[in-house]
Amino acid sequence: MPMPPQPSNDSHQPAGPPSGVSRLLREDERIYIADRVRERASIREIGRAPSTISREVRRNRHPTNGRYRPHAAQARADARRPRPKPSKIGQNPELQATPYMGVWWRRTTRQPSEVRR
């Protein structure tokens, strides 16, 4: 059976606004922003605050040509969020030696009637 003809990829069609809600911008959102900035079109349909988008574009422009760089922006965002992150107590030997759990436990298990005495 012959295969149906596939649509050509000659013309670049910008993707629609990315779906999903997250506190952080994802790479597909950054690419969408870059496409819209390049076309000088509105970015409101992405569902983010205008201040978030303008801050993102301003922070991640190329220093010489001024173009927004979505892949570099994603790499910088990934570098700022290393995981697993070491805990404060695990990094500080002085805090490790403090018997903080006993104090916390006594304060949280006290009944309101005991506090008033």
Side-chain angles (χ1 to χ4, degrees):
M1 218 181 231
M3 296 292 289
Q6 296 293 325
S8 68
N9 291 334
D10 294 338
S11 65
H12 178 295
Q13 294 293 327
S19 62
V21 179
S22 172
R23 189 176 68 84
L24 305 173
L25 286 171
R26 297 183 317 268
E27 188 170 17
D28 59 338
E29 290 177 312
R30 288 186 167 97
I31 292 170
Y32 181 75
I33 290 170
D35 289 343
R36 302 302 284 176
V37 166
R38 191 177 317 110
E39 297 169 357
R40 297 186 184 272
S42 175
I43 306 175
R44 292 183 186 266
E45 60 269 5
I46 197 170
R48 297 285 184 163
S51 60
T52 301
I53 296 170
S54 65
R55 184 175 48 243
E56 171 72 15
V57 171
R58 186 177 60 246
R59 284 180 180 170
N60 296 297
R61 285 191 181 274
H62 191 273
T64 56
N65 64 16
R67 289 186 182 157
Y68 175 65
R69 304 171 303 162
H71 297 289
Q74 185 65 39
R76 289 179 63 195
D78 291 342
R80 284 191 301 263
R81 294 184 293 110
R83 299 286 186 250
K85 195 172 180 179
S87 68
K88 299 283 185 185
I89 294 173
Q91 291 177 332
N92 190 334
E94 188 176 317
L95 287 176
Q96 288 176 356
T98 305
Y100 65 93
M101 279 304 289
V103 173
W104 176 82
W105 180 255
R106 283 193 301 273
R107 286 184 183 166
T108 57
T109 58
R110 191 175 294 165
Q111 298 296 321
S113 62
E114 295 175 13
V115 175
R116 284 186 240 150
R117 287 185 192 173

